[in-house]
Amino acid sequence: MSGPAADTGVRQESDQRDEWTEVIPADRLAQVGLGIVFILLVLAVFGPIVSPYDPATQDLSSRLEAPSLTHPLGTDQLGRDVLTRLLHGARLSLGIALAVTSVRLVVGTAVGLVAGYAGGWIDEALMRLVDTLLAFPGIVLALVIAGILGPSLVNVMLALSVVGWASYARLVRSSVLSVREREFVTVARLLGHTRTHVTARHLIPNVVAPVVVLATLDIGGVILGTAGLSFLGLGAQPPTPEWGTMLASGRTYLRQAWWLVNAPGVCIMFTVFGFNLLGDSLRDTLSPTQSAQMEQL
């Protein structure tokens, strides 16, 4: 394909690449968010490897020691190094967040694509299911599901996955509805291309940007939800070094060992803060229409 239409397509693709590649360097908040996320990833990957302590090994002779050179963040009620447990908890929390967000993204995107492109009774049935899920507060519904299934990290991941995909489905459906009537989709249909080809070639590329932004914002929420359910005793069980579990076990010693609660609490706060900054900055690069759609979710 050549001529003005091809040149226009090339310019549009180039402008889109420039938009995504320039947002991080140009936005100070994005730089802060990206820095926090990068540091967290480095600590989660390499921290447990270089730590000289085992996160589950108990040493009652060193219980509740204040922060020192030997234990930079002190020890807990069983003499375990708090910093080591935080590093292992970072790896666990990030792994859970990425897994849950991936499930939400795949399921929600698939449902949104089917609903938006098929239309008719299929669209109505799927959107009523989405509306039903969105009618309940997500953390409350996840609490109910996790409570029924029993306390474990796997059940928490399942509960958070079930309650979170609906937002992706609504966002993708609205994007598909705005794209499917455009000229290039109509031309593809007239040329006899299958629905699979139209979806893969024209619809999916146009929903990638808002879905990536929503997923970035969603990671922080999943980390917070996992920690909250673990704090209530429905997630990770001792001695698993998970941030919510560390908060729950440390609150008993809040007066005599402040670091037991403050250390995981600060980690959760900065992690969620970093992903939210990064997601907000990416969202601001989208069109006003896409930004408004995401504000409604």
Side-chain angles (χ1 to χ4, degrees):
M1 180 178 179
S2 61
D7 293 339
T8 301
V10 172
R11 285 197 299 270
Q12 289 176 346
E13 292 180 1
S14 177
D15 292 342
Q16 187 176 22
R17 286 196 299 268
D18 292 341
E19 180 180 277
W20 280 92
T21 55
E22 291 179 3
V23 58
I24 300 302
D27 193 331
R28 292 287 181 87
L29 292 179
Q31 292 175 354
V32 173
L34 185 62
I36 293 174
V37 171
F38 177 75
I39 292 173
L40 178 66
L41 288 173
V42 171
L43 292 176
V45 173
F46 298 105
I49 298 175
V50 301
S51 176
Y53 302 102
D54 185 274
T57 300
Q58 303 178 14
D59 182 9
L60 297 181
S61 63
S62 301
R63 64 188 302 269
L64 299 180
E65 285 189 1
S68 62
L69 292 177
T70 306
H71 301 284
L73 291 180
T75 61
D76 64 7
Q77 69 276 14
L78 297 176
R80 298 170 297 193
D81 183 68
V82 173
L83 178 58
T84 300
R85 291 178 62 79
L86 282 177
L87 295 174
H88 281 80
R91 177 180 291 181
L92 184 63
S93 296
L94 280 176
I96 292 173
L98 292 175
V100 171
T101 303
S102 298
V103 173
R104 289 179 171 185
L105 187 151
V106 171
V107 175
T109 300
V111 172
L113 285 171
V114 172
Y117 193 52
W121 68 269
I122 297 178
D123 182 23
E124 286 293 325
L126 292 176
M127 286 302 102
R128 296 299 75 79
L129 174 60
V130 168
D131 291 339
T132 301
L133 288 175
L134 293 177
F136 295 94
I139 190 63
V140 175
L141 187 56
L143 182 64
V144 172
I145 296 174
I148 293 174
L149 296 177
S152 76
L153 272 179
V154 174
N155 291 340
V156 164
M157 293 171 64
L158 179 60
L160 292 174
S161 298
V162 168
V163 303
W165 62 266
S167 297
Y168 291 88
R170 172 168 287 184
L171 177 64
V172 170
R173 174 183 177 270
S174 63
S175 298
V176 170
L177 290 177
S178 66
V179 172
R180 72 176 186 180
E181 303 302 331
R182 295 176 66 178
E183 292 81 359
F184 57 86
V185 176
T186 303
V187 170
R189 291 172 179 167
L190 293 176
L191 291 175
H193 293 304
T194 64
R195 287 192 173 189
T196 302
H197 175 85
V198 173
T199 300
R201 181 67 179 83
H202 300 290
L203 298 184
I204 292 180
N206 283 279
V207 304
V208 167
V211 166
V212 168
V213 174
L214 180 56
T216 305
L217 292 168
D218 208 21
I219 290 175
V222 173
I223 291 176
L224 195 59
T226 303
L229 292 175
S230 294
F231 180 83
L232 296 174
L234 295 174
Q237 301 299 305
T240 304
E242 197 275 332
W243 289 344
T245 304
M246 294 176 67
L247 276 172
S249 61
R251 72 182 188 273
T252 307
Y253 305 91
L254 183 59
R255 291 183 179 274
Q256 61 187 115
W258 53 267
W259 56 89
L260 295 184
V261 171
N262 289 349
V266 169
C267 286
I268 295 171
M269 180 189 71
F270 273 105
T271 302
V272 176
F273 182 63
F275 278 107
N276 285 349
L277 282 181
L278 188 58
D280 285 339
S281 299
L282 292 176
R283 183 187 60 190
D284 292 341
T285 65
L286 300 176
S287 67
T289 301
Q290 290 175 327
S291 296
Q293 290 172 356
M294 294 195 64
E295 290 287 355
Q296 296 173 358
L297 295 176

